[in-house]
Amino acid sequence: FIGSYESGSAVVVLSDEYYDPVIGERFNKVMNLSLHPTLRMYACNAVDNSTPIVLYNGAKYATTLNSSIPRFTWNGNNLVYMSCDIECAINVDGKQYPLYGDFNVAVPFAVDPTSNTFAYVSSTSLAVRRYTSKDVYMGLIVDEMSVPRYNRRAHSYEMLGRINQRLYLITCKL
């Protein structure tokens, strides 16, 4: 959890493996805590003396003021987040890939750790991009969309879309 002091915040880790809680470094502001799916690890956004960073178990990664919530992939192998300053980029385990376009970092996205792709909701459809190239794949145009997800069993990105009064499952199989 994120603990607050009179001035600043820190991440606190409680575990059966430790007698006392593990208290991380104190920062001006800590927010958007994400937990690893299987291990005792975390990631979050923080501000350290007016400098935005992403914390990964205490390690500091560079980011911008306009940054998404850091997330782990479904298997926990990768930490991903999107940041936009002049140009947008997706960061995978600290490596930055330019996206050659403008993205809303507040909109959730899904990442497949095995194919260098990510999915997001555009203004009208499910969009899937390779972050190592400029390739974009678009789905059916719909009126309303849900948050995209990666289905690890079917190896595809999915979202629900509504056209008039009908609901569709829109998939992009890789």
Side-chain angles (χ1 to χ4, degrees):
F1 66 90
I2 297 172
S4 295
Y5 297 94
E6 288 181 18
S7 63
S9 303
V11 175
V12 179
V13 179
L14 300 173
S15 174
D16 292 337
E17 298 174 13
Y18 299 124
Y19 181 74
D20 291 326
V22 177
I23 301 172
E25 186 178 346
R26 190 183 300 191
F27 295 96
N28 298 89
K29 187 176 183 181
V30 178
M31 62 236 153
N32 303 330
L33 182 65
S34 297
L35 300 177
H36 191 279
T38 57
L39 301 174
R40 188 187 8 81
M41 299 173 79
Y42 67 89
C44 62
N45 294 96
V47 177
D48 185 22
N49 296 327
S50 303
T51 304
I53 56 174
V54 169
L55 290 176
Y56 179 36
N57 260 20
K60 299 175 187 177
Y61 290 167
T63 189
T64 63
L65 288 173
N66 192 16
S67 176
S68 71
I69 297 171
R71 293 184 178 94
F72 292 97
T73 54
W74 68 268
N75 57 5
N77 287 348
N78 304 97
L79 173 69
V80 295
Y81 62 94
M82 197 177 292
S83 60
C84 293
D85 196 10
I86 296 170
E87 292 185 354
C88 293
I90 190 166
N91 295 274
V92 180
D93 294 332
K95 186 171 182 183
Q96 191 170 2
Y97 297 92
L99 293 178
Y100 309 107
D102 195 23
F103 286 85
N104 182 356
V105 296
V107 175
F109 60 95
V111 177
D112 173 16
T114 61
S115 68
N116 296 333
T117 60
F118 71 101
Y120 60 96
V121 174
S122 71
S123 59
T124 58
S125 179
L126 174 69
V128 176
R129 284 191 62 175
R130 291 195 184 283
Y131 53 81
T132 55
S133 69
K134 294 182 182 180
D135 299 339
V136 180
Y137 307 96
M138 301 294 283
L140 179 70
I141 296 175
V142 295
D143 299 327
E144 190 176 349
M145 298 155 280
S146 70
V147 174
R149 72 176 195 150
Y150 178 72
N151 184 336
R152 64 182 177 171
R153 291 178 181 90
H155 302 290
S156 65
Y157 290 104
E158 301 174 341
M159 79 166 193
L160 294 176
R162 184 185 60 79
I163 300 174
N164 294 326
Q165 298 302 316
R166 293 184 179 244
L167 193 63
Y168 297 90
L169 176 63
I170 299 167
T171 63
C172 179
K173 191 156 180 87
L174 302 173

